[in-house]
Amino acid sequence: MILAEQDGFTIIVAGRVVIRHTPDAPFAALGRGTERMNMYRGNFDIADTLHERVALRHARREGASLHLRATDDGPVLLTLTLAETAGGATLSVQCGDARFNRFWFRLVAEPDEKIWGGGEQMSYFNLRGRHFPIWTSEPGVGRDKTSEITRQADAMGHAGGDYYTTNYPQPSFLSSRRYGVHVETTAYSVLDFRAGDYHEIETWAAPSSIAFDVADDFPALVSRLSLRFGRQPPLPEWLYNGAIIGLKSGAASFTRLDAYLDAGARVSALWCEDWAGVRETSFGTRLFWDWRWNGARYPALPERIAALRARGIRFMGYVNPYLCADGTLFPEAAAAGHLARNAEGAILLVDFGEFDCGVVDFTSAAACAWFADTVLFRNMMALGLSGWMADFGEYLPIDAHLASGEDARLMHNAWPTIWARVNAEAIARAGLTGEVLFFMRAGFTGVQRHCPLLWAGDQSVDFSRHDGLRSVIPAALSSGLLGNAYHHSDIGGYTSLFGNVRSAELLMRWAEMAAFTPVMRTHEGNRPGDNLQIDQDGAVLAHFARMTRIWCHLTPYLRRLSAEAAAEGWPAQRPLFFHHENDPHAYEIEDQYLYGPDLLVAPVHAAGAQEWPVYLPAGAEWVHVWSGATHPGGRRIRVPAPCGQPPVFYRTGCAMAALFAAMAAL
């Protein structure tokens, strides 16, 4: 609803005042700027020279449209048209002057309001008080400008990152006032929540619309948003057999897998990302980006895959949308015109760290069909692979010349969603949707409807606040509120640089957290030889095996959460306030989560801890799984938390209380 006043207006959506405009406090501004964007191996240095910013102080209403001008008698520079629906509204945007390429919009904010979303944010769950550039990129190493590891990564290759850098940004957020906002644009944008009385959205191209969704409670709001972005496909049935074991020792991976099974681990799949070969670089052991079976590294692989499947274990691989220039697929794709070009019309080569690659141009239908048929079907699914990591959706160079003629600066953010669609459509054409599983770290608006599983990316192999174990929790919660029901991470982390290596304790604590997520998956990391692996320490392996049995014990509950995801769009991992909206303290907790409505998980994310603080939400009584002690909600307690007993509680009186109580005996 638009309430017009003298040269001003207020927009109310389902009882929420979302926009208020007066000549002295205008809602919108536009301007002209010249950006500088430099990419180095997926890390971006972005700056803007602003030439002009014009406040649109004067507004006139014509029906459902608002015409905004800089001066009372000047030309209309921006036209906004409001279309209302039950529980929401969409404000379409039309710019009247093509000279402008910078746009700012201000929404009403309240001093104590909290904000969540922004895609997958890994440092802070509540975004209030900070700004968040929306640009898919490498998150960086350390992601904390005060840390030594980030300083060294920045010096090495602008690779340190910051609190807002992420593989999966999205110009969408939720407010504690129980409404959601989505900006329909693929351009570079910024969500700025630093002001006390307004939120500012900046975009480097006119958005087509700004959409609002409103609901009476958070479950209903998340349901609405999940329908807007698309709900994730179901997880495959075979996944419920246990953990995905990541090994990259060539044929020896099959022998190493037996050690996990002999230790009593429950296993659903062997994941060998080196199925196509490896190369050694200064960063560590890298994969050979030529997406076909490497017979020298994995002899008799089809027979081995069939033998694994007969034992109830699937085989998974790895793929990304780039082809190494020294591989066999590159010349085939180049000859067919399936690779992006540079300004001179030659094939664009991207440096991925001591090797160059071509970019498969997914704006070409022929390139999509070739990649889906040749790589994903013939070279992977037909070989017997039941899934793969679909990596590197965030690397589209902004100077690429695409077959469609579209500006790569506008396609860069969209690329992860296009990459997800290519994978999903190839699987669908093979008739294997819900049977073949792929997982991604990169994302953007709409990735939800294509990608069945997110993973948190390349965390450091440590407990650090911004890039270690703890960072996985806000990543799951922020992305989950935007319709990504299933989230997981590399057990033990991935990135090992500057002498930073895994400890046995880190592996065990990470496995404990993973046991209470939709998927358990291990990874050897970028420097396998420098880092402790699960099967190299008997105590770590025994602990991991037990955690897989706990995960499998909870599969009846996970099936219930999967049904909720399909029917309601709710994530498996949920913030405390999701089911405890009347508890003000539940909004302050960022390092715990509800696993569904009935389990409370507080992962230990610090080295050396033997006890751990936990906040129990009000409105319920909570049973400590390991001791059986019952605690009233609405207070913070400390509990013993030795390795093997992560702080986990279940809600008294819930339907699966007996299932949860039985975990103590496992």
Side-chain angles (χ1 to χ4, degrees):
M1 174 174 60
I2 301 174
L3 298 180
E5 303 167 358
Q6 182 64 36
D7 215 15
F9 62 87
T10 298
I11 293 180
I12 302 173
V13 178
R16 312 298 196 276
V17 175
V18 294
I19 295 170
R20 185 177 289 116
H21 170 93
T22 68
D24 293 332
F27 150 71
L30 39 72
R32 294 181 301 109
T34 301
E35 69 272 15
R36 185 188 76 246
M37 291 182 165
N38 297 318
M39 183 181 86
Y40 181 73
R41 297 180 183 173
N43 303 287
F44 285 83
D45 178 19
I46 299 176
D48 193 29
T49 299
L50 187 62
H51 307 299
E52 180 182 17
R53 175 167 172 156
V54 179
L56 304 184
R57 300 184 181 279
H58 300 273
R60 294 178 185 173
R61 178 182 177 182
E62 291 183 8
S65 295
L66 295 160
H67 303 290
L68 276 62
R69 299 172 169 85
T71 61
D72 188 43
D73 58 352
V76 174
L77 297 178
L78 207 63
T79 297
L80 311 172
T81 303
L82 186 69
E84 297 184 81
T85 60
T90 298
L91 194 66
S92 62
V93 180
Q94 184 175 6
C95 179
D97 192 327
R99 294 176 302 166
F100 294 106
N101 61 359
R102 301 290 183 267
F103 299 82
W104 295 268
F105 304 92
R106 290 182 175 180
L107 308 182
V108 171
E110 296 179 353
D112 60 348
E113 186 177 4
K114 294 175 175 58
I115 297 292
W116 310 285
E120 182 188 50
Q121 296 294 336
M122 294 174 284
S123 285
Y124 302 103
F125 180 42
N126 179 10
L127 310 184
R128 200 75 160 99
R130 298 177 178 85
H131 75 291
F132 294 83
I134 302 300
W135 187 253
T136 181
S137 70
E138 284 279 6
V141 180
R143 300 182 65 257
D144 176 5
K145 294 302 185 187
T146 68
S147 72
E148 178 62 16
I149 193 171
T150 302
R151 186 196 67 77
Q152 292 189 63
D154 278 336
M156 181 179 72
H158 311 289
D162 212 329
Y163 73 86
Y164 51 76
T165 47
T166 175
N167 304 110
Y168 176 6
Q170 186 173 314
S172 313
F173 61 89
L174 290 77
S175 164
S176 56
R177 295 171 59 206
R178 294 168 180 77
Y179 75 90
V181 178
H182 172 64
V183 185
E184 191 58 50
T185 183
T186 59
Y188 178 90
S189 58
V190 180
L191 303 178
D192 192 340
F193 304 111
R194 292 176 291 188
D197 58 348
Y198 63 83
H199 310 310
E200 185 165 81
I201 300 165
E202 176 184 355
T203 64
W204 287 9
S208 60
S209 64
I210 303 173
F212 301 90
D213 287 283
V214 179
D216 293 332
D217 54 51
F218 290 111
L221 179 57
V222 170
S223 288
R224 286 184 59 89
L225 291 171
S226 68
L227 288 174
R228 176 178 295 281
F229 304 130
R231 290 182 179 165
Q232 285 183 295
L235 296 174
E237 183 65 25
W238 55 260
L239 184 67
Y240 292 99
N241 289 334
I244 299 171
I245 306 301
L247 300 171
K248 47 186 175 183
S249 298
S253 299
F254 292 88
T255 303
R256 290 179 62 191
L257 177 64
D258 287 336
Y260 286 81
L261 298 170
D262 291 344
R266 300 287 297 276
V267 176
S268 64
L270 172 63
W271 171 51
C272 295
E273 57 178 350
D274 63 334
W275 74 285
V278 299
R279 71 170 85 226
E280 296 298 329
T281 72
S282 61
F283 180 74
T285 300
R286 301 288 300 276
L287 306 178
F288 194 73
W289 294 10
D290 189 40
W291 313 123
R292 59 194 314 163
W293 162 37
N294 186 302
R297 191 165 180 84
Y298 281 93
L301 183 57
E303 292 79 10
R304 288 181 176 272
I305 291 174
L308 268 187
R309 185 174 290 212
R311 299 165 65 189
I313 300 173
R314 300 300 181 102
F315 185 83
M316 302 179 73
Y318 173 100
V319 70
N320 67 48
Y322 309 99
L323 304 174
C324 60
D326 53 348
T328 63
L329 289 172
F330 180 94
E332 180 181 339
H338 296 328
L339 301 178
R341 302 280 169 168
N342 61 21
E344 290 73 40
I347 292 173
L348 176 68
L349 293 177
V350 182
D351 175 11
F352 277 92
E354 301 167 39
F355 60 95
D356 292 333
C357 292
V359 181
V360 180
D361 188 347
F362 292 134
T363 68
S364 161
C368 291
W370 173 83
F371 195 91
D373 181 65
T374 300
V375 176
L376 299 179
F377 181 73
R378 188 179 68 196
N379 290 359
M380 298 179 75
M381 286 183 276
L383 185 69
L385 273 68
S386 292
W388 50 82
M389 173 186 281
D391 204 1
F392 279 106
E394 60 281 283
Y395 267 64
L396 179 69
I398 57 174
D399 58 348
H401 285 245
L402 303 171
S404 65
E406 294 168 281
D407 188 337
R409 291 172 299 178
L410 296 178
M411 292 302 293
H412 176 82
N413 274 337
W415 212 247
T417 302
I418 296 171
W419 172 226
R421 188 192 69 213
V422 169
N423 282 268
E425 290 181 351
I427 292 169
R429 283 196 295 272
L432 295 172
T433 300
E435 169 67 15
V436 168
L437 175 70
F438 70 95
F439 51 98
M440 294 177 57
R441 67 177 188 175
F444 195 69
T445 306
V447 74
Q448 299 92 325
R449 68 170 47 90
H450 304 299
C451 177
L453 176 64
L454 290 182
W455 111 88
D458 297 345
Q459 275 71 36
S460 291
V461 290
D462 56 34
F463 289 102
S464 61
R465 167 75 172 80
H466 293 275
D467 197 32
L469 186 153
R470 187 190 185 282
S471 67
V472 174
I473 303 171
L477 297 180
S478 57
S479 59
L481 291 178
L482 296 178
N484 296 280
Y486 307 113
H487 191 276
H488 77 300
S489 60
D490 298 336
I491 293 175
Y494 171 82
T495 303
S496 175
L497 292 172
F498 317 117
N500 188 31
V501 295
R502 287 171 171 169
S503 67
E505 181 185 18
L506 177 75
L507 279 168
M508 290 192 283
R509 290 303 194 187
W510 213 305
E512 290 173 359
M513 178 177 66
F516 299 92
T517 66
V519 172
M520 291 187 75
R521 179 180 54 80
T522 69
H523 200 308
E524 293 197 286
N526 68 308
R527 294 178 180 268
D530 295 343
N531 283 269
L532 178 66
Q533 303 301 331
I534 291 171
D535 57 337
Q536 294 173 343
D537 184 302
V540 173
L541 180 57
H543 174 276
F544 174 78
R546 175 170 170 260
M547 289 301 128
T548 68
R549 295 193 295 272
I550 288 173
W551 186 92
C552 284
H553 178 78
L554 291 174
T555 53
Y557 186 58
L558 179 56
R559 290 180 186 278
R560 171 187 164 186
L561 302 186
S562 298
E564 289 182 346
E568 305 292 346
W570 296 343
Q573 294 167 263
R574 305 167 187 176
L576 271 59
F577 61 77
F578 194 88
H579 292 294
H580 301 274
E581 299 190 37
N582 295 325
D583 181 351
H585 297 293
Y587 295 82
E588 308 297 333
I589 305 300
E590 299 198 352
D591 62 349
Q592 300 177 199
Y593 58 89
L594 295 172
Y595 189 41
D598 299 329
L599 281 177
L600 174 73
V601 184
V604 175
H605 52 76
Q610 291 299 307
E611 61 176 20
W612 198 250
V614 180
Y615 180 73
L616 302 174
E621 286 189 326
W622 299 91
V623 180
H624 183 228
V625 165
W626 315 113
S627 68
T630 300
H631 302 270
R635 62 174 183 158
R636 184 176 288 273
I637 63 172
R638 295 188 73 87
V639 295
C643 280
Q645 294 187 9
V648 178
F649 297 76
Y650 62 89
R651 189 170 53 83
T652 60
C654 63
M656 293 191 177
L659 180 78
F660 302 146
M663 279 191 286
L666 295 176

